[in-house]
Amino acid sequence: MSVDLLRCRKCGHEYPATATGICSACFGPLEPVYDWDELARTVSRESIEAGPRSLWRYAQLLPADPPADAASGPGFTPLVPAPRFAAAVGVGEVYLKLDLSNPTHSFKDRVVAVATAKALEFGFDTLSATSTGNLANAVGARAAASGLRAIIFCPAGLELEKLRATTVYGATIFGVRGSYDDCSRLVSELAGEVEWGIVNVNLRSYYSEGSKTLAFEIVEQLGWETPDAVVIPVGSGSMYTKVWKGFQQFEQLGLVDGALPRLFGGQAEGCSPVAAAFAEDRRVTPVRPHTVASSIAIGNPADGDLTVEVAHASGGGVYAVPEDEIGQSISLLAETAGIFGEGATGVAVGALRAAVERGELGERDRVVLLVTGTGLKTPQLAEASGAIVEIEPDVDALLAELGVTA
Ligand SMILES: *Cc1c(COP(=O)(O)O)cnc(C)c1O
Ligand SMILES: [Zn+2]
C-alpha cells in the first residue's frame, strides 16, 4: 500500500512520503507510517493467503503498491527443515530460509523490489546503489526488467562473479578505490546533485521495509507460529532490525501464535563493530573491514546501535565469528543439508554455533537460519571436503582406483 507520511525514528518529526531518507531536524532515519486502523480491519491470514506467491502477498504492510509482475517474485522462498545439520550443531530443530532462491540469488531482491516500485512511482529514470556485490546484482536485474538505467558503486576489487552478474544486465559499475564506507560517503555527496533513485540513500526508508517480509514468511510458513530463534548475518543491521519489526507488526495485527523469537546476529570477526558493541555493552564505533565475508563488510553500520538494542529486547545476541571458521561453516551446511551458502551464511552458521556453545540454544529450540546468499558467487570461500580425481576412460583402471577387485 502506498503511504503518505514518513516519521523520524529518533525525534518523531513527520514528513510527506517523498524520496528522502533522513530527518532534516536530527539526521535520524525515516520510516513509513501505516494506517493501523485500516490494516486491523483489512489484513487477515486469509487475505494474505489469497495473495501472489511472492513478497507482494504482504503489500498492505509495504510502502509501495505491487508491480504488474507481482506474482513472479521475489520472496516467498522455501523454508526447509535441516535435520542432519540440526543434529550436527546440537539444536532440536533447524529450518533454513532459502533466500538464495531469489532471482539474483540473495535476499537483496526483496529490498530492491520495494525500492524499485517507489523509484517508478517517483518518476526516476535511474536506479542506483552502493553495494558490496549482492545489491548490485539485484539493482541491475530489477532495473533491466523495469526499463531503468542502473549505475552502481562498489569497492574496487570485488569478486569477478559478482561484477559479471551485474554488468550482464547492462548496468554500469563504478569500482571505487576504497572501502564500502568510502563508497557510501561518495554516493551520499552525489545524491544532492542528481535526480536518481538511490535505493540505500534517498529510497532507504522504503527499501529497508522489504526485509520485514522475511519475518512474515517465516511465520506463515510455520503455520502462523513463531520459531524460538532466528539467526541472521549482520552488515548494516538493516535486515536484522527490520526482521524484528516484521515479527512485531504481525503480533500487533494478531496474526501470529507464540512469543516473539530471540534474534541472534552474526558478524565476521574482521568486521564486527556491532558484535563488539554488544559484547562490551556500549555504542557502535566504526572499524576498517578485513574480512572474507565481503557481502557484510560494513565498518560503519547505519543500524548498528539499533541492532544492539533489538538483540537485548529480543533476548538474543550478536556474536563475532572467527575468520578461519567461516569456510568450515559453509562446508558444514553443505555437507549436512545440501545447501551451498556464501560468506554471510558461514557467519550465520558460526553465530548459531556460538549461541549453542554459550548454552543459549539447544535441544529444546526450533531455530530458523537465514541463508541470505548463494555460495556460487564466492566459491573460493568454501572448504571442500570432496575430491576430484582424474582418470583414464578405462574400467579396469577405474575399478583399481576405487579399490574394487573383480
Ligand atoms: C546485504 C546482505 C546481508 C546483510 O544485510 P544488512 O541489512 O546490511 O545487515 C546479509 N547477507 C547477505 C548475503 C547480504 O547480501
Ligand atoms: Zn528526527
Side-chain angles (χ1 to χ4, degrees):
M1 164 169 79
S2 212
V3 292
D4 299 326
L5 287 177
L6 298 175
R7 184 183 294 137
C8 176
R9 197 166 67 207
K10 274 195 188 150
C11 77
H13 215 91
E14 289 188 352
Y15 298 84
T18 59
T20 39
I22 54 169
C23 174
S24 52
C26 78
F27 303 109
L30 302 181
E31 296 187 317
V33 179
Y34 297 93
D35 179 346
W36 286 97
D37 293 334
E38 164 84 8
L39 292 177
R41 260 197 318 276
T42 57
V43 181
S44 64
R45 292 177 181 178
E46 295 71 27
S47 74
I48 289 170
E49 284 165 352
R53 293 186 64 80
S54 74
L55 58 73
W56 293 109
R57 65 204 279 105
Y58 312 104
Q60 283 182 288
L61 288 155
L62 295 173
D65 291 322
D69 63 347
S72 62
F76 218 59
T77 56
L79 182 71
V80 299
R84 294 191 65 237
F85 174 72
V89 292
V91 170
E93 271 186 286
V94 175
Y95 285 81
L96 305 176
K97 183 64 172 154
L98 299 184
D99 256 25
L100 38 57
S101 64
N102 278 315
T104 67
H105 316 292
S106 88
F107 112 94
K108 292 296 198 300
D109 290 308
R110 294 178 184 273
V111 281
V112 168
V114 179
T116 308
K118 291 312 277 189
L120 292 168
E121 191 183 307
F122 291 139
F124 292 120
D125 63 4
T126 302
L127 199 61
S128 181
T130 309
S131 173
T132 55
N134 285 325
L135 182 57
N137 301 166
V139 165
R142 195 61 200 155
S146 311
L148 298 171
R149 178 172 73 147
I151 300 183
I152 294 149
F153 300 83
C154 294
L158 222 54
E159 298 94 344
L160 184 63
E161 290 83 356
K162 286 185 179 169
L163 297 174
R164 186 60 61 82
T166 304
T167 53
V168 71
Y169 301 113
T172 300
I173 299 179
F174 285 99
V176 177
R177 295 186 199 105
S179 67
Y180 174 84
D181 301 287
D182 294 320
C183 289
S184 228
R185 206 169 336 102
L186 175 69
V187 175
S188 299
E189 286 174 31
L190 175 77
E193 310 294 325
V194 292
E195 288 283 312
W196 296 354
I198 310 177
V199 302
N200 46 1
V201 180
N202 59 349
L203 298 176
R204 189 174 180 88
S205 315
Y206 310 102
Y207 159 93
S208 52
E209 289 281 289
S211 293
K212 294 188 309 188
T213 58
L214 276 163
F216 299 158
E217 289 176 19
I218 289 168
V219 167
E220 186 178 352
Q221 291 170 321
L222 289 177
W224 302 101
E225 284 180 16
T226 49
D228 296 307
V230 183
V231 187
I232 305 173
V234 173
S236 70
S238 172
M239 175 172 52
Y240 182 96
T241 54
K242 290 290 178 167
V243 164
W244 180 240
K245 189 152 201 203
F247 285 115
Q248 285 181 315
Q249 291 187 343
F250 257 27
E251 184 183 55
Q252 183 174 348
L253 290 170
L255 294 171
V256 56
D257 296 328
L260 295 185
R262 288 174 285 152
L263 301 192
F264 290 92
Q267 294 209 291
E269 185 125 68
C271 182
S272 50
V274 184
F278 177 81
E280 293 159 26
D281 202 14
R282 58 162 170 81
R283 291 182 67 80
V284 172
T285 49
V287 302
R288 181 166 283 276
H290 291 288
T291 174
V292 298
S294 59
S295 63
I296 50 171
I298 299 180
N300 190 10
D303 294 308
D305 287 323
L306 187 61
T307 297
V308 174
E309 260 177 56
V310 168
H312 287 300
S314 77
V318 185
Y319 303 127
V321 174
E323 292 291 326
D324 62 7
E325 277 183 22
I326 295 172
Q328 294 165 14
S329 288
I330 292 173
S331 303
L332 175 69
L333 187 68
E335 288 168 13
T336 58
I339 296 297
F340 185 13
E342 65 143 75
T345 303
V347 168
V349 170
L352 170 57
R353 291 159 109 180
V356 172
E357 264 164 38
R358 289 158 192 259
E360 290 173 352
L361 291 175
E363 292 301 335
R364 66 203 173 282
D365 292 304
R366 180 160 74 157
V367 177
V368 173
L369 182 99
L370 301 189
V371 180
T372 51
T374 176
L376 289 178
K377 291 184 199 174
T378 55
Q380 69 287 353
L381 285 189
E383 286 179 18
S385 64
I388 302 169
V389 184
E390 192 170 321
I391 55 159
E392 294 303 325
D394 177 278
V395 76
D396 292 326
L398 175 56
L399 289 172
E401 181 66 42
L402 291 168
V404 179
T405 44

